[in-house]
Amino acid sequence: MTTYTICIFTENTIGLLNRITIIFTRRRINIESLTVSETERKGISRFTIVIKHESREDVEKLVRQIRKIVEVLAVFGYLNDEIVYNEIALFKISTSLGSKSLDVETINKQYKAWVVYWGLDYVVIEKTGNDTEIFEFFAYLKQYEILEFVRSGRVAVGKTEKGLVEYLPEAEWESYL
């Protein structure tokens, strides 16, 4: 199966997420991760959806179907080598008396992860990277008592020179910049 990242630029409208996810449901395509945020343009949201699918043709049909939604301004489908992407993961690790002490130097230098909160009984460690890097770090942390683990969806930008600005004329949208 191939991993695809679909980036959808939309007007910020109530109920739009439901209409987009229905298209995936009807085609029996599972969403691996979903991230939604505002863009550099006020009132414009960006959906970053990751799916795994065998057929590029089916994914292209899916993209064409999403483009038919009135509030959708632009849709782009990418393979992993066509984008720059990252995820973030937080690990809550026990530091109570009697538990194995953390090797913070290895965590920082080898895994490029950081302690972002140090409490009396636990620490919270942040790791950014792709899913492979995050799960390698997870495997390392199994030697400690993991109290919680949470991972965000993918955030991504295309490797092309064009961005959202190229598709939305400056005069039509207010910018945060």
Side-chain angles (χ1 to χ4, degrees):
M1 282 216 204
T2 305
T3 300
Y4 296 92
T5 301
I6 300 169
C7 295
I8 308 167
F9 295 97
T10 70
E11 296 175 14
N12 194 355
T13 307
I14 294 172
L16 186 57
L17 174 61
N18 184 48
R19 286 189 284 152
I20 289 171
T21 56
I22 284 173
I23 293 171
F24 289 85
T25 304
R26 285 186 184 144
R27 295 182 178 276
R28 304 192 55 76
I29 297 175
N30 187 46
I31 294 173
E32 300 289 325
S33 86
L34 167 67
T35 305
V36 183
S37 64
E38 277 194 310
T39 66
E40 65 272 19
R41 301 292 175 110
K42 287 184 181 176
I44 304 298
S45 294
R46 177 189 188 115
F47 291 70
T48 304
I49 302 172
V50 178
I51 62 172
K52 291 183 180 173
H53 204 275
E54 296 168 354
S55 168
R56 182 180 180 104
E57 185 179 306
D58 287 349
V59 174
E60 288 172 355
K61 286 179 186 175
L62 173 80
V63 167
R64 286 194 298 272
Q65 187 71 36
I66 293 169
R67 284 188 179 131
K68 292 178 182 178
I69 298 174
V70 172
E71 295 88 353
V72 170
L73 305 170
V75 182
F76 304 95
Y78 300 102
L79 295 170
N80 284 348
D81 63 344
E82 299 171 329
I83 56 175
V84 176
Y85 63 95
N86 251 339
E87 297 179 4
I88 184 171
L90 296 175
F91 300 85
K92 186 188 286 186
I93 308 297
S94 176
T95 58
S96 59
L97 288 175
S99 63
K100 185 175 181 178
S101 60
L102 285 174
D103 183 357
V104 177
E105 187 172 342
T106 299
I107 289 169
N108 290 157
K109 290 183 178 176
Q110 185 175 340
Y111 291 99
K112 297 183 177 34
W114 315 106
V115 175
V116 293
Y117 177 81
W118 202 293
L120 292 175
D121 295 329
Y122 65 92
V123 296
V124 177
I125 301 170
E126 175 186 298
K127 169 72 180 144
T128 58
N130 61 42
D131 54 350
T132 303
E133 295 167 336
I134 288 171
F135 284 111
E136 284 173 2
F137 185 57
F138 184 91
Y140 167 76
L141 287 180
K142 283 185 177 180
Q143 64 183 301
Y144 304 103
E145 183 183 355
I146 300 173
L147 301 173
E148 282 186 68
F149 165 67
V150 63
R151 189 173 121 222
S152 74
R154 177 178 285 189
V155 292
V157 294
K159 289 183 179 177
T160 62
E161 291 180 24
K162 289 187 176 185
L164 173 62
V165 177
E166 315 302 333
Y167 300 97
L168 302 175
E170 186 70 39
E172 291 184 30
W173 303 98
E174 188 177 344
S175 175
Y176 286 111
L177 307 175

